[in-house]
Amino acid sequence: MKTLKTVLLSLILLVVFAPTRAQEVTATTSVNNVITAYLGVKNALITGNNNAAKSSARELLAAINTVPAKQFTPEQNTLWTAFTDKLQFDSRHISESASIDHQREHFTSLSKNMFELVKGLKLNTNTLYEQYCPMKKATWLSESAAIKNPYYGSQMLTCGKTTETLAPVAK
């Protein structure tokens, strides 16, 4: 009985006083969180839901701000540094605007910069499609090969074409 108490006490002390580490978020996970948040903005714009776009843009901004750039290679860090301010600028504007048209204007440059960043970082874990709207003369990233246009929503939902496919690079 005394041995059992000693073992239990030792286990309790070990659990309580053992150094605990917070799970470190990898660069790959963080970049894919940015991609997921971006896709949330895109999907909200497809449906014409400006409030959902605002909310998703806030999530995108938060995801951008938590990327551990110190984990990037020097080349990836240079690329990340070149695009971070641009992504934050457009995300912030989308998150602060109630106008779907204004949100879509900022989504144009956000999408252009996201494509260049994702293509250059080579950390996406899922296939992404760069799609093009000839009416807007602008691109966006999609998780689906099916065209769903965020620039015109239900007015021209299937207007566009896939221009490039980014295969999963990281797992």
Side-chain angles (χ1 to χ4, degrees), residues 41-49 104 131-136 138 140 142 144-162:
V41 174
K42 185 245 333 164
N43 291 330
L45 294 175
I46 288 170
T47 63
N49 187 334
R104 286 177 170 147
Q131 298 176 331
Y132 176 74
C133 173
M135 300 296 290
K136 182 76 173 172
W140 70 92
S142 180
S144 168
I147 302 295
K148 291 187 179 174
N149 190 322
Y151 296 112
Y152 293 105
S154 62
Q155 296 173 355
M156 299 178 84
L157 187 60
T158 59
C159 176
K161 65 181 181 177
T162 297

Side-chain angles (χ1 to χ4, degrees), residues 37-137:
Y38 164 86
L39 293 171
V41 174
K42 185 245 333 164
N43 291 330
L45 294 175
I46 288 170
T47 63
N49 187 334
N50 65 326
N51 287 326
K54 286 173 74 166
S55 177
S56 294
R58 281 191 292 273
E59 290 173 20
L60 176 56
L61 189 57
I64 292 165
N65 290 333
T66 60
V67 170
K70 66 184 180 290
Q71 294 181 7
F72 288 144
T73 66
E75 296 80 17
Q76 288 172 326
N77 193 45
T78 299
L79 189 64
W80 177 255
T81 302
F83 284 100
T84 304
D85 288 343
K86 296 172 187 178
L87 297 176
Q88 289 171 329
F89 177 81
D90 288 318
S91 299
R92 190 172 298 106
H93 271 268
I94 294 168
S95 75
E96 294 172 351
S97 177
S99 165
I100 195 85
D101 292 332
H102 187 71
Q103 290 172 331
R104 286 177 170 147
E105 285 301 316
H106 279 280
F107 187 71
T108 303
S109 57
L110 178 66
S111 295
K112 179 180 179 250
N113 291 322
M114 276 293 295
F115 174 75
E116 293 300 325
L117 181 66
V118 171
K119 185 176 180 179
L121 288 177
K122 295 178 175 47
L123 293 174
N124 55 299
T125 57
N126 295 306
T127 301
L128 294 170
Y129 303 90
E130 180 189 46
Q131 298 176 331
Y132 176 74
C133 173
M135 300 296 290
K136 182 76 173 172
K137 294 181 176 41

